[in-house]
Amino acid sequence: MMADPMLAEMGKNLNEAMKILENGENGQDVFSVLQLVQNLIHDDDDKPSHRTQYVGEQAHMALLGHSLAAYVSVLDRERLRKLTTRILSDTTLWLCRIFRYENGSAYYHEDDREGLLKVCRLVINTRYEDYSTEGFAVLSSKQPVIYQSAACRPGLGQNLCSQLGLPLSSLCTVPCNTMFGSQHQIDVALLDKLIKDDVDTGKLPLLLIANAGTPGAGHTDKLGRLKELCVQNNMWLHVEGVNLATLALGHVSSTVTAATKSDSMTLTPGPWLGLPAVPAVTLYRHEDPALTLAAGLTSSLPAEKLRALPLWLSLQYLGHDGIVERIKKTSELSKKLLEHLKTLGSIKTSVEDELNSPVVVFRFSQDTSTSSSHGSVEGYSGGEKEVLDALNRWLGEQLAQHVPASGVDVVELEDEGTCVRFNPLMTAAVLGTQEADINAVVEKLTELVPLLSCTLRFKQDFREEVYQHPALTYIEDLNWPGLGVIRSEYTDDSKRQQDLEKVNVELLKKLKEMDTDFSFSSGPEFSPEKNCIYVGIATDDLDVGALVETIASVGREIEESGKLLENMTEVVRKGIQEAELQLLKANEEKLMEEGVLRQIPLVGSVLNWFSPSQSSIKGRTFNLAAGSLDSTEETYTMKAQSGKTDPPDTPTSTTKRLPGQKLFRRSTTGSEVCSEVGSVGQPEELLREATPLPSPQEVVSHVTQELAEKPGPFESTEVPESQESDEEGSIR
């Protein structure tokens, strides 16, 4: 019985750890421990990494801060108190100045959601005076309500209610605009109506979570109007988002500047500046230190205050100009990419403020009403969105694979669908993105976009061509980023289910062996469709008719080859059974001719020595071509096999492709040559090369295996050794 691999690995690691502990009372030296850590880090080096984090000198300062925090923690209490107070106050002052948040306090936390959680506790303690003594019982008089945008991070509000012990009915998700403005901004008019309805029903509006850069598209809510609405209803406004980083720049859009008037906001300087293991920071304004202490926003523990030490070191190393320069550089990368995208056809961008938004979201899109002489996209209006989503998902994956330092990824937006996102503030400092990476992305886009256009254009033609071949079935899979999905069907339904998988596996193998740069695959690992062939991305010179005709012809040839093997198997089986009957009859005639005494081993040998007998048993030979069982007498007489008419050779196609021309591509020299090469020459030529008929030896081997599994009625019959060798050796 085999153990679970994961449990086995855990057991192995446990044994190694126990050996380390048992290896002497004094333990191991520093070098051995560091060597062990290095081995653990590089244990999976054989597995390729998709993205490698760039670690600069500023990152070394952040890592040094963690070591210094451990060292400082052993100082005497008074010196430790002075040091932590200085580090905390300096870091808070610098952050408030850099990001224009006047008179603010700071809370440093590892989980970027923890700051919002502490702020909610602060607001609850502020709005419910008896909360500190009566607890959650005081909330029953007026149920608190937390409002969030529909474009907020998934699961943010649910996590908040779970940590606070509030029911999900206390969370109100406000939809985004549908008529005017960005479709990723919270609908302010609808929010005002929801707040009034909650007040009328006896609920208490508590807090609003707004975005300065939505997680998906990077859009900013109308923070000025939201702040006015919160003041009118005595609500707390909390802002988060990647666009808050632009507050450090000299020129900031008014929509983002309004975030400085909020009651609290969460910053993530780690990814913005490329600082590993640096805490997130929540800046807030509140006058009552007792309530902030009760909410957990302040602490007297030195370990809590030392969280700011890595950030304190990094900010001093970078300086104000260095921080601004890094954020400015990432914003310029976005602008450069956006300028290039405007020059590309079939690419649409979704940017709220092109001059200030550091997030670029784009999507391949093509006018489906257009058509060309080679194909059209009519008939895909019903599943157009799913088809475009699949193509954009493939586009994003290709860009991330070929230009990993760019940091582009795929994002699913509610209205736009699947898009490609470039968010340099979250990835550029970590991956070391440069202007050359942006140029590489644009170059790759220039190469891939025409392929997507051709694929979208030829999809309908491909489906119609498949419908014209009864041996092929078109499988509707709108999530496949290619021409389509097909399955080769048996014309004989009796064995369809039994051999369908075998036929399609063999067909896929033959297609992959062809001289073409076209891709064929078995599809995604968890695809609901089985025994299918997934046809890949198309090119502009694709000959759809030749492609489908070749697939159908190869599948038909594989089916006919299987039928021929079955027919030949049956002929050979009958021939062997006939040979067994004739050999049994010959043995009986020999017994009658020679008598019983000659069959006794010792007596028969003596009689044969004195009076040799001439055997009348003749060998048999089976002719596969004629399907007949013949005597070997003529063979031994003429010293050669009897002449039978061999079947004529299969004629090969004389039509050849042009030099250097790949399969399934139209020729540019003329339409007649194109049609001849694409529609006739390719399938016939490929079938001769890729699908040979089974040899006689394969048939005999197949039959022998079947007979071995299912013994015949005469297998116990003894056959003389000489006759048996004649029987087997003469089969051809």
Side-chain angles (χ1 to χ4, degrees):
M1 180 178 180
M2 297 183 63
D4 189 335
M6 184 175 295
L7 294 178
E9 184 69 19
M10 291 176 59
K12 178 182 177 182
N13 295 336
L14 179 60
N15 291 334
E16 293 179 356
M18 294 302 297
K19 290 179 181 178
I20 293 174
L21 293 176
E22 296 171 358
N23 189 16
E25 296 180 358
N26 297 327
Q28 301 188 39
D29 54 22
V30 176
F31 177 78
S32 300
V33 174
L34 293 178
Q35 185 66 37
L36 175 61
V37 174
Q38 180 181 353
N39 295 337
L40 293 174
I41 292 175
H42 299 285
D43 184 47
D44 297 332
D45 272 356
D46 54 330
K47 300 178 181 179
S49 177
H50 183 60
R51 291 175 177 173
T52 303
Q53 180 168 346
Y54 172 77
V55 180
E57 292 187 4
Q58 78 281 357
H60 293 162
M61 294 298 297
L63 298 176
L64 178 62
H66 290 276
S67 300
L68 288 177
Y71 174 76
V72 168
S73 63
V74 301
L75 299 176
D76 61 85
R77 180 175 300 180
E78 183 62 22
R79 186 176 300 181
L80 180 61
R81 183 187 63 81
K82 292 181 179 179
L83 181 60
T84 54
T85 302
R86 170 68 182 275
I87 292 173
L88 197 63
S89 60
D90 285 354
T91 309
T92 302
L93 178 62
W94 295 339
L95 290 174
C96 289
R97 286 182 177 178
I98 292 172
F99 296 101
R100 309 184 183 191
Y101 199 81
E102 298 178 356
N103 302 322
S105 302
Y107 172 66
Y108 303 88
H109 45 94
E110 302 297 334
D111 188 349
D112 56 3
R113 301 173 298 180
E114 188 178 353
L116 176 59
L117 174 64
K118 301 295 185 182
V119 165
C120 286
R121 294 188 188 278
L122 173 63
V123 179
I124 291 177
N125 279 279
T126 303
R127 299 297 301 275
Y128 295 90
E129 297 180 358
D130 298 331
Y131 181 77
S132 58
T133 56
E134 299 184 13
F136 289 100
V138 74
L139 302 180
S140 58
S141 59
K142 279 191 174 184
Q143 181 181 357
V145 182
I146 299 173
Y147 302 89
Q148 70 169 2
S149 169
C152 279
R153 285 184 289 171
L156 178 63
Q158 290 79 356
N159 175 76
L160 200 58
C161 290
S162 175
Q163 296 296 322
L164 294 173
L166 298 177
L168 289 179
S169 58
S170 295
L171 178 65
C172 179
T173 301
V174 184
C176 295
N177 293 325
T178 56
M179 298 296 294
F180 305 100
S182 168
Q183 295 180 341
H184 300 277
Q185 291 179 341
I186 191 171
D187 192 332
V188 181
L190 181 57
L191 172 63
D192 188 15
K193 180 178 182 302
L194 291 174
I195 293 175
K196 292 179 179 179
D197 292 342
D198 289 335
V199 172
D200 293 340
T201 56
K203 296 181 180 181
L204 180 64
L206 195 68
L207 179 141
L208 170 63
I209 306 172
N211 290 296
T214 56
H219 290 200
T220 302
D221 290 325
K222 298 176 181 178
L223 301 178
R225 293 184 58 189
L226 293 178
K227 178 59 180 176
E228 295 175 0
L229 191 60
C230 289
V231 171
Q232 295 174 6
N233 295 276
N234 195 20
M235 293 173 56
W236 185 283
L237 176 61
H238 178 81
V239 181
E240 62 177 24
V242 68
N243 290 355
L244 292 175
T246 60
L247 290 171
L249 301 178
H251 301 282
V252 190
S253 64
S254 58
T255 55
V256 179
T257 305
T260 59
K261 305 300 180 182
S262 63
D263 298 293
S264 62
M265 63 181 186
T266 297
L267 310 175
T268 55
W272 297 349
L273 304 176
L275 306 175
V278 165
V281 185
T282 295
L283 302 179
Y284 64 94
R285 296 188 183 97
H286 200 271
E287 303 298 334
D288 193 338
L291 293 181
T292 57
L293 180 63
L297 287 169
T298 57
S299 174
S300 59
L301 297 176
E304 297 285 340
K305 296 180 179 180
L306 285 175
R307 286 181 181 175
L309 181 56
L311 190 57
W312 184 77
L313 290 174
S314 301
L315 293 179
Q316 288 193 93
Y317 177 81
L318 292 173
H320 182 272
D321 294 340
I323 295 172
V324 173
E325 181 64 25
R326 287 181 177 273
I327 297 177
K328 181 180 179 181
K329 179 181 177 181
T330 56
S331 300
E332 290 177 351
L333 291 176
S334 297
K335 294 178 181 179
K336 184 174 182 61
L337 177 60
L338 190 59
E339 291 175 359
H340 285 293
L341 292 178
K342 292 179 179 179
T343 63
L344 296 178
S346 302
I347 292 292
K348 294 184 178 180
T349 59
S350 174
V351 180
E352 172 204 10
D353 188 350
E354 296 183 355
L355 298 178
N356 298 281
S357 178
V359 182
V360 178
V361 177
F362 60 94
R363 170 181 171 86
F364 166 78
S365 181
Q366 182 169 298
D367 186 5
T368 56
S369 62
T370 61
S371 60
S372 70
S373 58
H374 302 308
S376 66
V377 295
E378 295 178 359
Y380 270 90
S381 57
E384 176 187 346
K385 185 177 183 299
E386 290 80 1
V387 172
L388 290 176
D389 284 348
L391 294 176
N392 280 280
R393 192 176 301 110
W394 178 84
L395 176 62
E397 292 171 355
Q398 291 295 311
L399 293 176
Q401 178 181 351
H402 290 89
V403 196
S406 65
V408 297
D409 60 354
V410 178
V411 60
E412 302 287 343
L413 301 180
E414 183 177 357
D415 296 308
E416 291 87 346
T418 304
C419 299
V420 182
R421 176 179 58 187
F422 177 62
N423 191 359
L425 276 172
M426 299 301 293
T427 60
V430 174
L431 299 176
T433 308
Q434 302 295 328
E435 185 175 338
D437 299 315
I438 303 302
N439 296 332
V441 169
V442 176
E443 182 180 352
K444 198 64 183 178
L445 276 172
T446 307
E447 174 186 340
L448 297 178
V449 168
L451 299 181
L452 296 179
S453 299
C454 294
T455 302
L456 190 62
R457 192 170 69 238
F458 286 127
K459 265 183 172 290
Q460 180 66 12
D461 294 344
F462 179 77
R463 179 169 59 174
E464 293 177 355
E465 287 285 345
V466 172
Y467 285 156
Q468 296 178 6
H469 293 269
L472 297 178
T473 299
Y474 185 86
I475 307 299
E476 193 74 33
D477 189 351
L478 299 179
N479 294 321
W480 172 247
L483 276 182
V485 185
I486 60 174
R487 180 189 293 128
S488 179
E489 304 284 0
Y490 258 148
T491 54
D492 182 9
D493 293 337
S494 60
K495 292 193 175 184
R496 177 179 179 274
Q497 294 297 331
Q498 180 180 357
D499 298 336
L500 185 60
E501 180 179 0
K502 186 185 302 182
V503 170
N504 283 278
V505 169
E506 184 67 18
L507 175 58
L508 179 60
K509 178 182 178 182
K510 299 295 184 185
L511 293 174
K512 287 183 176 181
E513 293 174 354
M514 293 181 179
D515 182 22
T516 177
D517 51 7
F518 212 73
S519 64
F520 303 94
S521 69
S522 56
E525 182 178 359
F526 301 103
S527 174
E529 297 292 342
K530 303 299 180 183
N531 306 326
C532 296
I533 297 175
Y534 287 73
V535 186
I537 299 295
T539 55
D540 185 49
D541 56 354
L542 173 66
D543 192 335
V544 179
L547 171 63
V548 177
E549 177 63 30
T550 300
I551 297 175
S553 300
V554 175
R556 186 166 54 249
E557 189 70 17
I558 294 175
E559 179 183 358
E560 293 174 356
S561 176
K563 290 182 179 179
L564 177 60
L565 180 61
E566 293 177 1
N567 295 336
M568 294 177 68
T569 301
E570 185 64 25
V571 171
V572 173
R573 182 184 292 108
K574 291 181 179 180
I576 292 177
Q577 292 177 355
E578 183 181 351
E580 289 178 344
L581 291 175
Q582 293 189 14
L583 288 176
L584 180 61
K585 183 178 180 181
N587 284 336
E588 293 176 353
E589 293 177 354
K590 178 181 178 182
L591 180 62
M592 297 298 296
E593 180 180 341
E594 297 181 352
V596 178
L597 291 178
R598 288 185 182 273
Q599 309 304 319
I600 301 175
L602 183 59
V603 178
S605 300
V606 175
L607 288 177
N608 289 333
W609 186 77
F610 283 104
S611 177
S613 63
Q614 299 295 327
S615 175
S616 61
I617 298 181
K618 303 297 188 299
R620 299 292 186 271
T621 177
F622 184 74
N623 192 319
L624 287 175
S628 61
L629 189 67
D630 302 331
S631 174
T632 59
E633 183 176 0
E634 183 179 356
T635 301
Y636 293 112
T637 302
M638 304 299 297
K639 303 298 183 181
Q641 290 284 352
S642 59
K644 298 291 182 179
T645 304
D646 294 332
D649 295 335
T650 303
T652 58
S653 173
T654 58
T655 306
K656 300 295 182 181
R657 299 192 304 274
L658 296 179
Q661 182 183 358
K662 292 286 186 179
L663 293 178
F664 318 131
R665 288 192 172 185
R666 294 185 302 272
S667 173
T668 57
T669 58
S671 59
E672 296 180 359
V673 177
C674 228
S675 175
E676 182 179 0
V677 174
S679 303
V680 179
Q682 290 176 0
E684 294 183 0
E685 177 185 351
L686 287 168
L687 294 181
R688 305 310 176 202
E689 298 174 356
T691 316
L693 296 178
S695 63
Q697 288 77 8
E698 293 177 348
V699 177
V700 172
S701 175
H702 182 72
V703 175
T704 305
Q705 182 179 358
E706 289 194 1
L707 292 177
E709 297 175 354
K710 183 178 180 182
F714 305 103
E715 70 173 326
S716 61
T717 303
E718 295 184 0
V719 182
E721 184 177 356
S722 60
Q723 299 171 4
E724 196 174 44
S725 61
D726 288 344
E727 182 70 27
E728 294 180 351
S730 57
I731 291 180
R732 58 184 174 90

PDB file of all heavy atoms in Angstrom, residues 254 446 514:
ATOM      1  N   SER A 254      -7.430  66.145  -9.616  1.00  0.00           N
ATOM      2  CA  SER A 254      -8.270  66.595  -8.506  1.00  0.00           C
ATOM      3  C   SER A 254      -9.080  65.456  -7.906  1.00  0.00           C
ATOM      4  O   SER A 254      -9.396  65.471  -6.706  1.00  0.00           O
ATOM      5  CB  SER A 254      -9.205  67.708  -8.989  1.00  0.00           C
ATOM      6  OG  SER A 254     -10.013  67.243 -10.076  1.00  0.00           O
ATOM      7  N   THR A 446       1.605  43.639 -31.834  1.00  0.00           N
ATOM      8  CA  THR A 446       1.573  43.823 -33.289  1.00  0.00           C
ATOM      9  C   THR A 446       1.590  42.479 -34.013  1.00  0.00           C
ATOM     10  O   THR A 446       1.002  42.337 -35.093  1.00  0.00           O
ATOM     11  CB  THR A 446       2.777  44.667 -33.731  1.00  0.00           C
ATOM     12  OG1 THR A 446       2.795  45.884 -32.961  1.00  0.00           O
ATOM     13  CG2 THR A 446       2.692  45.012 -35.204  1.00  0.00           C
ATOM     14  N   MET A 514       2.193  16.550 -39.246  1.00  0.00           N
ATOM     15  CA  MET A 514       2.194  17.179 -40.564  1.00  0.00           C
ATOM     16  C   MET A 514       3.122  18.389 -40.612  1.00  0.00           C
ATOM     17  O   MET A 514       3.437  19.003 -39.590  1.00  0.00           O
ATOM     18  CB  MET A 514       0.768  17.606 -40.942  1.00  0.00           C
ATOM     19  CG  MET A 514      -0.167  16.438 -41.159  1.00  0.00           C
ATOM     20  SD  MET A 514      -1.822  17.000 -41.622  1.00  0.00           S
ATOM     21  CE  MET A 514      -2.645  15.430 -41.836  1.00  0.00           C
TER      22      MET A 514
END
